[in-house]
């Protein structure tokens, strides 16, 4: 089966699963269905062989299993998959958020701008209408007030007239479309800066919200909401972890389903990971707002100093400051948009944790936990911090290609990109998908450009004996719970599943370098060679070229051709060809001249008697009658 045929079959399977779920009252996206198909095929319990073509029975079995899982309303694993799909579809980096917002804004403004640039106004009424449209476009692009508010329109019109009076419309109409659009953007920035400055001076500012004050309230509130959600989620994850450890230590104990507990733990850990990404963005938002406020105050002071006690200020001095002021305010607007998007994502993630929270409430878990101590991640790390818990490579024989990194011997130790998102790979395998964060203080295992952390020294040493075995076993655990592929970032082992965008989250700023003694030596020729082929050092060669150029300049005819004129066009000239002319006389006559003939005699001989040549002219006379 060709690749195109295989893709067609997969698309048909996905479409059929989505239609069957819809017929049973559950609307699912094709992205979610595709993820579920991949998860079902990878799960070894379903016995699908990915190396051979699926038969009709296999397809029907695949569709049946996928529909059953997608319709399961009490599955924390399905909620985790849905959460991952939602986050992957709706979250992107800060730069992409803002770029998309600006693109949508420009797209919405395009009809208004096109109406202005394509206008052919001639009469006074048409020119006034065009000017009003320019005022509306300026207001819509700046976002400072509504174009339907009379007070806002009056203020914007007054600001625009001080920069671009209505008498300049004729010049504006003569511009090409691109220049018109550029001038509209520039007018928007200048008018925005004027209105913001007037608001600061208390002489205007109709319809302009105090964005810095709003952000100073909204950012801490959003941070608090995310923090509170993280506390709730981590508390649930710690309880699940404690109960799982208790039930694995004594399998005879009665309690809730171990499988459901592990799925709930994975769901909580995934929710926590997404919340920390959002928290990191909100913190970045707060830092950006603080920077913008400082720059805005500085710019306002500079502008006040420029216009203070002056009747007239050169436009070359004040217009750039107005434009800079508008750009700063645009930064506040971007932070508002970004904060709104992050708040929406935060609220949308909460329903994906509803199943396990309703299933395992405080009342349900309390009897099973009993007197078990619920330890948090920080407490577990504190309990394994110290020299006695640290790996000592000298005590054990470690295979070649493996090394342990420690804080005091490694640069950028805190920024190492830890594998499995910082969870212990040995515990994940040994305890069947139990997620426990590792402690880097024990020692970070460096193997094949990857960095692994562990919950104990014994776990680190066991893993170091044969890392390849444990790496494969982690992948097998992920096949049983496909939501781990996204959570543990196993995208290299499952290359067909792409990760969500995280920006710089979890990535290093600088490459880690272990400390060691080293030396450097300066290269002999560290500058790149730059040979100029046309350079001449010989004086006589330069003189020869100068004489050649001078001689060529004095020629009667000379021509030259440049790169711009080469092959530009064909030149054609037209001339008058010479005419055939003749003359006629009264008589027509002709003459026949005899052929000259000369006879040479006496050329033979050369013996005793000397040779004597005799020349006889046999040419007939011209006057002789023929």
């Amino acid at each position: 089966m060709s690749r195109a045929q295989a893709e067609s079959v997969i698309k048909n399977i996905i479409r059929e699963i989505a239609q069957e779920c819809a017929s049973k009252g559950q609307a699912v996206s094709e992205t979610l269905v595709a993820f579920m198909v991949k998860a079902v095929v990878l799960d070894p319990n379903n016995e699908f062989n990915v190396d051979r073509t699926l038969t009709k029975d296999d397809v029907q079995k695949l569709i049946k299993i996928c529909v059953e899982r997608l319709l399961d309303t009490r599955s924390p694993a399905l909620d985790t998959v849905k959460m991952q799909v939602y986050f992957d579809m709706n979250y992107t980096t800060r730069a992409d958020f803002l770029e998309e917002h600006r693109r949508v804004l420009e797209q919405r403004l395009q009809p208004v701008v096109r109406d202005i640039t394509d206008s052919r106004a001639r009469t006074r009424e048409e020119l006034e209408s065009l000017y009003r449209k320019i005022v509306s476009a300026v207001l819509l692009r700046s976002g400072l007030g509504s174009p339907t508010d009379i007070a806002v329109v009056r203020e914007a019109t007054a600001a625009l007239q001080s920069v671009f009076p209505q008498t300049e419309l004729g010049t504006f109409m003569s511009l090409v479309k691109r220049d018109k659009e550029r001038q509209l953007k520039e007018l928007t920035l200048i008018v925005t800066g004027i209105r913001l400055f007037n608001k600061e001076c208390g002489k205007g500012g109709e319809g302009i919200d105090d964005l810095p004050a709003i952000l100073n309230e909204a950012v801490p509130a959003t941070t608090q909401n995310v923090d509170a959600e993280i506390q709730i989620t981590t508390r649930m994850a710690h309880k699940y972890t404690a109960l799982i450890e208790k039930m694995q230590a004594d399998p005879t104990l009665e309690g809730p389903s171990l499988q459901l507990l592990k799925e709930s733990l994975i769901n909580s850990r995934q929710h926590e990971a997404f919340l920390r990404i959002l928290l990191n963005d909100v913190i970045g938002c707060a830092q950006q707002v603080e920077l913008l406020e400082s720059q805005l105050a500085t710019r306002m002071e500079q502008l006040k100093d420029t216009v203070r006690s002056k009747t007239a200020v050169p436009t070359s001095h004040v217009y750039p400051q107005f434009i800079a002021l508008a750009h700063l305010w645009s930064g506040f607007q971007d932070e508002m948009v970004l904060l709104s998007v992050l708040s929406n994502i935060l609220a949308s993630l909460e329903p994906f944790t509803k199943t396990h929270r309703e299933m395992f409430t405080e009342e349900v878990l309390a009897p099973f936990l009993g007197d078990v101590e619920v330890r948090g991640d920080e407490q577990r790390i504190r309990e394994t911090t110290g020299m006695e818990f640290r790996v000592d490579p000298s005590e054990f024989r470690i295979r070649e290609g493996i090394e342990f990194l420690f804080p005091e011997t490694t640069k950028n130790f805190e920024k190492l990109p830890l594998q499995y998102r910082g969870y212990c790979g040995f515990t994940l395998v040994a305890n069947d998908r139990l997620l426990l964060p590792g402690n880097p203080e024990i020692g970070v295992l460096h193997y094949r450009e990857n960095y692994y952390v562990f919950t104990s020294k014994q776990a680190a040493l066991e893993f170091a004996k044969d890392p390849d075995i444990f790496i494969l076993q982690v992948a097998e655990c992920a096949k049983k719970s496909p939501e781990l592929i996204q959570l543990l970032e196993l995208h290299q082992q499952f290359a067909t599943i792409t990760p969500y965008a995280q920006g710089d989250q979890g990535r290093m700023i600088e490459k880690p370098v272990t400390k060691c003694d080293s030396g450097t030596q300066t290269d002999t020729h560290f500058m790149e060679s730059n040979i100029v082929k046309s350079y001449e050092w010989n004086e006589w060669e330069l003189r020869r070229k100068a004489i050649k150029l001078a001689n060529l300049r004095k020629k009667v005819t000379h021509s030259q051709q440049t790169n711009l004129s080469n092959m530009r066009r064909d030149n054609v000239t037209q001339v008058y060809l010479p005419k055939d002319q003749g003359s006629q006389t009264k008589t027509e006559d002709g003459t026949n001249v005899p052929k000259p003939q000369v006879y040479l005699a006496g050329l033979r001989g050369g013996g005793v008697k000397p040779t004597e040549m005799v020349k006889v002219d046999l040419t007939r006379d011209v006057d002789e009658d023929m």
Side-chain angles (χ1 to χ4, degrees):
M1 182 182 293
S2 66
R3 182 181 180 88
Q5 290 175 333
E7 289 180 354
S8 177
V9 171
I10 293 173
K11 288 180 180 178
N12 291 334
I13 292 174
I14 292 173
R15 194 177 299 111
E16 187 172 346
I17 293 172
Q19 290 175 352
E20 189 165 345
C21 290
S23 65
K24 296 183 179 181
Q26 184 70 30
V28 292
S29 65
E30 291 192 357
T31 307
L32 177 60
V33 176
F35 192 99
M36 186 56 68
V37 169
K38 182 70 176 178
V40 171
V41 172
L42 286 176
D43 193 344
N45 296 327
N46 297 324
E47 299 179 350
F48 284 106
N49 188 354
V50 295
D51 296 327
R52 64 176 177 83
T53 305
L54 295 177
T55 63
K56 289 186 177 179
D57 293 338
D58 292 336
V59 172
Q60 293 302 319
K61 178 182 176 183
L62 175 61
I63 293 174
K64 180 181 178 182
I65 296 175
C66 289
V67 171
E68 288 178 354
R69 290 196 179 184
L70 289 170
L71 295 179
D72 188 359
T73 58
R74 294 181 60 80
S75 172
L78 178 61
D79 283 347
T80 307
V81 172
K82 289 181 179 179
M83 186 194 309
Q84 292 171 345
V85 172
Y86 170 81
F87 200 81
D88 187 39
M89 297 293 290
N90 292 273
Y91 177 82
T92 184
T93 60
R94 173 193 182 87
D96 290 339
F97 270 138
L98 299 180
E99 182 181 353
E100 178 67 14
H101 170 66
R102 294 189 184 102
R103 187 190 65 80
V104 172
L105 181 60
E106 287 295 328
Q107 188 176 1
R108 291 179 180 176
L109 285 173
Q110 199 59 38
V112 180
V113 175
R114 192 184 303 115
D115 196 15
I116 294 172
T117 56
D118 294 346
S119 176
R120 295 293 181 268
R122 291 293 181 269
T123 65
R124 181 177 179 180
E125 291 77 10
E126 291 175 345
L127 291 173
E128 289 178 353
S129 176
L130 177 61
Y131 198 80
R132 287 194 295 270
K133 290 179 182 178
I134 293 177
V135 174
S136 298
V138 168
L139 283 173
L140 289 172
R141 191 187 293 275
S142 66
L144 303 182
S146 171
T148 59
D149 190 335
I150 300 299
V152 172
V153 173
R154 286 177 180 172
E155 183 181 332
T157 304
L160 182 62
Q161 284 177 345
S162 65
V163 179
F164 180 72
Q166 196 165 344
T167 54
E168 296 291 332
L169 279 177
T171 306
F172 177 80
M173 296 290 293
S174 64
L175 299 175
V176 297
K177 184 174 182 178
R178 182 177 298 178
D179 290 340
K180 289 179 181 178
E181 293 177 351
R182 180 188 57 78
Q183 188 166 353
L184 279 176
K185 291 181 179 179
E186 188 174 339
L187 287 174
T188 301
L189 293 174
I190 296 174
V191 171
T192 301
I194 292 173
R195 295 187 61 203
L196 290 171
F197 182 68
N198 290 340
K199 181 178 184 296
E200 179 70 16
C201 297
K203 299 178 181 178
E206 286 290 337
I208 301 178
D209 296 326
D210 190 357
L211 294 186
I214 295 174
L215 285 168
N216 284 331
E217 294 181 3
V219 171
T222 307
T223 305
Q224 188 176 357
N225 291 339
V226 178
D227 250 334
E229 196 65 30
I230 290 176
Q231 294 298 328
I232 295 173
T233 301
T234 53
R235 191 159 49 248
M236 293 295 293
H238 298 159
K239 289 182 179 180
Y240 294 146
T241 303
L243 189 54
I244 291 171
E245 288 178 328
K246 178 182 178 182
M247 295 181 67
Q248 286 181 338
D250 188 0
T252 60
L253 291 177
E254 293 185 0
S257 169
L258 197 59
Q259 177 69 18
L260 286 177
L261 283 174
K262 290 178 180 178
E263 292 179 1
S264 301
L265 175 60
I266 295 173
N267 183 283
S268 299
R269 291 298 188 182
Q270 182 64 83
H271 190 217
E272 179 190 356
F274 288 156
L275 290 176
R276 294 197 182 278
I277 293 174
L278 295 180
L279 181 61
N280 186 59
D281 285 344
V282 175
I283 293 173
C285 221
Q287 295 172 348
Q288 188 67 17
V289 168
E290 185 178 354
L291 178 63
L292 287 172
E293 283 184 327
S294 174
Q295 293 177 348
L296 182 66
T298 304
R299 181 62 63 179
M300 282 292 186
E301 288 300 322
Q302 291 178 355
L303 197 51
K304 288 179 180 178
D305 292 340
T306 303
V307 301
R308 182 175 293 143
S309 67
K310 294 182 182 178
T311 56
V313 182
T315 57
S316 59
H317 292 173
V318 74
Y319 280 3
Q321 297 197 42
F322 284 141
I323 292 174
L325 200 60
H327 282 306
L328 288 175
W329 198 260
S330 176
F332 285 111
Q333 292 173 329
D334 289 342
E335 299 308 317
M336 285 292 295
V337 172
L338 185 61
L339 199 62
S340 175
V341 171
L342 295 177
S343 298
N344 290 337
I345 295 178
L346 173 65
S348 300
L349 288 178
E350 197 271 336
F352 297 118
T353 65
K354 189 175 180 181
T355 300
H356 73 86
R357 289 185 181 183
E358 292 179 350
M359 191 183 304
F360 299 115
T361 60
E362 295 281 348
E363 293 77 13
V364 173
L365 292 178
F368 299 110
L369 285 172
D371 55 352
V372 175
E373 181 186 2
V374 179
R375 294 179 295 169
D377 296 339
E378 294 80 5
Q379 183 180 352
R380 290 176 183 270
I381 291 175
R382 283 197 305 270
E383 292 174 353
T384 56
T385 299
M387 296 303 296
E388 66 274 16
F389 300 103
R390 178 176 292 190
V391 173
D392 187 359
S394 61
E395 296 180 2
F396 305 93
R397 184 177 179 181
I398 300 176
R399 53 181 281 191
E400 187 178 355
I402 296 177
E403 64 173 333
F404 280 94
L405 306 180
F406 301 98
E408 63 274 5
T409 60
T410 307
K411 182 182 178 183
N412 301 321
F413 184 80
E414 298 80 7
K415 299 175 183 177
L416 290 175
L418 301 178
Q419 196 73 358
Y420 307 139
R421 205 189 286 273
Y423 293 107
C424 177
F426 177 82
T427 305
L428 188 74
V429 173
N431 294 283
D432 189 21
R433 295 166 289 163
L434 175 61
L435 295 173
L436 282 179
N439 184 4
E441 294 289 335
I442 294 174
V444 176
L445 177 66
H446 182 203
Y447 178 66
R448 290 184 179 178
E449 301 303 322
N450 292 322
Y451 304 89
Y452 303 88
V453 290
F454 308 96
T455 55
S456 65
K457 180 167 68 173
Q458 187 62 33
L461 296 175
E462 289 293 331
F463 192 95
K465 288 180 181 178
D466 196 344
D468 293 325
I469 294 295
F470 285 96
I471 292 171
L472 290 176
Q473 289 179 345
V474 169
E476 291 299 319
C477 291
K479 290 180 181 179
K480 296 179 183 178
S481 297
E483 58 271 24
L484 288 174
I485 298 174
Q486 196 86 322
L487 175 59
L488 303 181
E489 298 177 338
L490 303 176
H491 310 294
Q492 292 182 350
Q493 294 173 269
F494 300 90
T496 54
I497 300 176
T498 56
Y500 53 84
Q502 296 186 33
D504 294 330
Q505 181 75 11
R507 289 185 172 83
M508 295 179 54
I509 297 176
E510 300 180 50
K511 185 177 180 180
V513 180
T514 53
K515 298 177 182 178
C516 61
D517 296 331
S518 63
T520 59
Q521 184 175 1
T522 306
D523 293 337
T524 305
H525 300 289
F526 56 88
M527 296 292 291
E528 295 183 2
S529 60
N530 184 17
I531 300 175
V532 181
K533 302 294 183 182
S534 60
Y535 174 74
E536 282 289 349
W537 62 271
N538 193 322
E539 177 184 356
W540 296 103
E541 180 65 22
L542 293 173
R543 287 187 178 188
R544 188 186 68 81
K545 289 184 177 181
I547 292 171
K548 182 179 178 181
L549 292 174
N551 189 30
L552 185 63
R553 184 176 59 83
K554 294 177 182 179
K555 295 295 183 183
V556 176
T557 58
H558 64 276
S559 63
Q560 65 181 16
Q561 191 174 31
T562 65
N563 291 330
L564 295 177
S565 67
N566 182 29
M567 302 296 289
R568 286 291 293 273
R569 65 177 183 178
D570 296 332
N571 288 336
V572 179
T573 60
Q574 185 176 10
V575 298
Y576 290 101
L577 298 176
K579 297 181 180 180
D580 294 333
Q581 293 181 349
S583 63
Q584 187 176 10
T585 60
K586 291 182 179 181
T587 61
E588 182 178 355
D589 199 357
T591 61
N592 189 7
V593 181
K595 182 178 179 181
Q597 292 182 348
V598 178
Y599 178 75
L600 302 175
L603 294 176
R604 293 184 181 182
V608 178
K609 188 179 180 179
T611 301
E612 294 182 2
M613 182 187 72
V614 179
K615 179 178 179 181
V616 181
D617 187 5
L618 298 181
T619 305
R620 297 169 62 184
D621 192 9
V622 177
D623 296 334
E624 183 182 352
D625 293 335
M626 297 298 293

